[in-house]
Amino acid sequence: MDTYFFTKGKNTECVDGSIKIYFYDPIIYNNNLIEVFPNINVTKLDKKEYTMQIYYNLVKGMARYNSKKKIYRKDKNKFLVHFCNGINTREITVSKNKIVSINSTEYPALNESLAYIVAQFLYENIERLPFTLKLDLYQENVIKKLKYYIANCYESKWQIIRDYLTCNSAKLEKRVIKRLEFNNLSELEKEIKRI
């Protein structure tokens, strides 16, 4: 029997203390690794705040991609799946229907800030209202700094939206290396976090 349902762990993220998002590790079902989509706990908010939170969480939910299963030649029971969440990536190795390893490449400040910028741009263009989702002073400074760097890398905001929603961290990194003095996204992450 090769049907298993289990997940190795979960992450909880809070948005402004009002909404909690639960990110679960993938499950194995019929010898396939399947992503579990985030679970959002929404509390009572006024309509405008609720709409802005939905845009922000929708952007984070849409910016997800998983590659096709790569089966190892030597061991048919072992395979690898590559998951992307915005610009963060995870490589999950499964052997004999058990998750063996999860290797992550994460840029927490960069990924969150890009999600906020994309949500802000979409909200303001669709709703024709200012995006005033509450941020603390540190987050505001990180986003301002990132917007400055993005303006130097991209001619149009639609390009960064496309790169973020299609999880194209390679293209973003290529632009950062080509147009700025950074060697990779890790250096950009460190720079925007330094306030």
Side-chain angles (χ1 to χ4, degrees):
M1 182 171 177
D2 63 347
T3 302
Y4 295 88
F5 294 99
F6 68 88
T7 184
K8 216 171 176 184
K10 87 176 172 181
N11 273 355
T12 305
E13 290 186 28
C14 288
V15 182
D16 186 29
S18 310
I19 292 181
K20 284 186 180 175
I21 311 170
Y22 302 102
F23 290 96
Y24 295 91
D25 285 338
I27 61 168
I28 297 171
Y29 177 71
N30 285 339
N31 204 22
N32 285 308
L33 199 62
I34 300 171
E35 184 175 16
V36 179
F37 276 84
N39 184 331
I40 302 172
N41 175 14
V42 182
T43 57
K44 284 190 175 182
L45 299 168
D46 70 323
K47 186 180 178 189
K48 188 177 176 190
E49 179 77 14
Y50 176 78
T51 307
M52 286 187 287
Q53 294 273 7
I54 291 298
Y55 269 83
Y56 179 66
N57 292 314
L58 183 62
V59 163
K60 289 175 82 176
M62 286 173 61
R64 303 178 86 71
Y65 169 80
N66 65 289
S67 66
K68 292 180 180 174
K69 182 164 69 171
K70 295 177 188 171
I71 298 171
Y72 289 95
R73 288 184 184 178
K74 292 179 184 176
D75 186 358
K76 300 273 185 198
N77 293 324
K78 191 173 182 183
F79 63 89
L80 177 126
V81 180
H82 186 80
F83 286 94
C84 298
N85 176 11
I87 59 168
N88 293 335
T89 58
R90 286 189 298 170
E91 283 187 346
I92 299 168
T93 307
V94 175
S95 180
K96 297 178 183 165
N97 289 317
K98 294 200 191 277
I99 295 174
V100 176
S101 67
I102 300 175
N103 298 322
S104 297
T105 305
E106 296 189 2
Y107 310 99
L110 189 56
N111 195 48
E112 289 295 313
S113 300
L114 283 170
Y116 184 91
I117 290 167
V118 170
Q120 180 181 28
F121 184 71
L122 292 175
Y123 180 85
E124 289 176 353
N125 277 278
I126 295 168
E127 302 292 331
R128 304 282 185 216
L129 293 167
F131 190 76
T132 56
L133 196 62
K134 293 176 189 167
L135 297 170
D136 61 28
L137 188 60
Y138 175 76
Q139 290 170 319
E140 276 184 37
N141 288 331
V142 167
I143 288 170
K144 280 179 190 173
K145 217 172 196 183
L146 183 59
K147 281 183 177 179
Y148 168 76
Y149 287 122
I150 287 173
N152 290 324
C153 290
Y154 286 90
E155 292 84 31
S156 165
K157 287 182 182 176
W158 292 108
Q159 292 172 329
I160 188 67
I161 290 169
R162 183 193 61 225
D163 287 352
Y164 184 76
L165 292 179
T166 58
C167 304
N168 201 339
S169 59
K171 194 177 244 183
L172 177 66
E173 189 165 54
K174 190 176 178 182
R175 283 181 183 267
V176 164
I177 290 169
K178 187 176 179 183
R179 303 218 174 147
L180 302 172
E181 68 268 8
F182 303 113
N183 295 317
N184 52 40
L185 290 180
S186 297
E187 287 184 13
L188 179 60
E189 166 91 0
K190 284 178 192 169
E191 179 59 33
I192 65 168
K193 283 167 71 175
R194 193 165 24 127
I195 303 293

